[in-house]
Amino acid sequence: MFHKVRETWARLSGSARSEQRGGRTTRPRNLFEAAAVYVSARAADDQDRVDEAAGWVSPEALSFGVSELACRAVVALARERDTTPAAVARELLGLPTA
């Protein structure tokens, strides 16, 4: 009787927790983590890591995460440089100032 209760509890509570496999803890990746790994791997020209991160979430979610990361990075650089986000974006892309 208690064995069944314990199995049911483990199954229900285990779905919210990370799984143990071979001594390593695995957990689902979120889109922001995937975007961060994807962008940093692209910057380091690490195609294996790019492919790995791209497989963690759907292409749409990855696109959204990369876009959000870009926006946050431009805003952070603009604050750091005491300039506008538009000026930072144009500079990063090598565009002439407007």
Side-chain angles (χ1 to χ4, degrees):
M1 166 88 171
F2 289 114
H3 180 68
K4 288 286 187 189
V5 171
R6 201 176 4 226
E7 282 180 357
T8 303
W9 176 254
R11 189 172 51 247
L12 291 174
S13 65
S15 64
R17 283 192 233 146
S18 55
E19 300 174 9
Q20 287 281 352
R21 289 189 188 159
R24 292 188 59 181
T25 301
T26 59
R27 60 180 172 74
R29 304 288 207 268
N30 69 40
L31 66 104
F32 296 116
E33 183 177 12
V37 171
Y38 180 85
V39 169
S40 61
R42 290 280 311 265
D45 199 26
D46 183 353
Q47 189 60 45
D48 292 336
R49 194 77 169 139
V50 166
D51 295 340
E52 180 184 354
W56 292 345
V57 295
S58 71
E60 296 82 11
L62 183 60
S63 177
F64 174 79
V66 169
S67 177
E68 186 65 23
L69 177 61
C71 290
R72 292 179 187 196
V74 167
V75 168
L77 281 172
R79 287 181 183 153
E80 193 176 279
R81 297 177 182 181
D82 196 29
T83 187
T84 67
V88 170
R90 294 184 73 79
E91 180 186 337
L92 289 172
L93 292 171
L95 299 173
T97 54

